[in-house]
Amino acid sequence: MEYNTPNTTQVILVDTNDHPLGITDKLEAHRQGLLHRAILVFIFNHKGEWLLQRRTAFKYHSGGLWSNTCCTHAHPGEMPLEAAQRKLKEEMGLKCPLEKSFCFTYKAKLDHGVTEHEYEHVFTGYTEYMPDVNPLEVWDWKYLSSDIIRLDERLHPERYTVWFRQVYQKVLQYQKQKV
């Protein structure tokens, strides 16, 4: 099967405090497991349901898995919030106010020889609009309650991306603190 590979997008290499160290090709960063800046976006509706997407099967890693609303890498010269808004529009066809929630670092070996080592900027937002997804990026989407997600993730962790499984509880805690 032929998988979509990332274009020659450059990513920002960072230290453990998110200070820029340079730039490199996105695929090279993932092949070598180099720490770089990344963005995760979580969108909720007024009922508190999470907007999840199922990644297309042809992604260069983690294809066909359920995950957060969208994710990306900040381009050189692009602020994390700008990257989050850009990708939310590109993948999900949505625009809404986003709030920076927290940051964390993770490292995981994934499929197709990829190692993600990312300093994640996590953003949350609320909207009542339905997505107009980019079919090259998103196979499916749905709004789910945190209880349903928690149960399904426990019973079927293989259905979810590694990073989603790692950050889900942190986002849930953040949301509870806001109430």
Side-chain angles (χ1 to χ4, degrees), residues 9-13 22-26 28-29 34:
T9 298
Q10 301 287 298
V11 296
I12 304 166
L13 298 174
I23 59 172
T24 193
D25 178 75
K26 179 169 59 172
E28 194 60 29
L34 303 174

Side-chain angles (χ1 to χ4, degrees), residues 1-7 27 56-61 112 135-137:
M1 176 176 282
E2 185 71 23
Y3 291 92
N4 286 344
T5 56
N7 57 23
L27 187 54
T56 63
F58 304 110
K59 291 278 195 170
Y60 72 104
H61 69 79
H112 306 292
L136 299 175
E137 300 278 350

Side-chain angles (χ1 to χ4, degrees), residues 45-109:
N45 64 18
H46 75 282
K47 295 187 252 179
E49 294 172 320
W50 302 50
L51 176 57
L52 300 186
Q53 71 150 281
R54 186 171 181 209
R55 295 164 58 88
T56 63
F58 304 110
K59 291 278 195 170
Y60 72 104
H61 69 79
S62 307
L65 299 180
W66 287 96
S67 198
N68 52 292
T69 308
C70 65
C71 50
T72 192
H73 301 91
H75 300 305
E78 184 179 42
M79 297 303 294
L81 177 58
E82 293 171 317
Q85 291 168 331
R86 170 183 50 80
K87 198 61 169 182
L88 182 60
K89 182 70 175 158
E90 288 173 2
E91 283 196 13
M92 304 301 285
L94 293 173
K95 185 175 181 178
C96 68
L98 297 175
E99 171 183 294
K100 186 162 183 185
S101 303
F102 58 90
C103 294
F104 78 104
T105 302
Y106 95 101
K107 186 173 186 178
K109 288 189 183 246

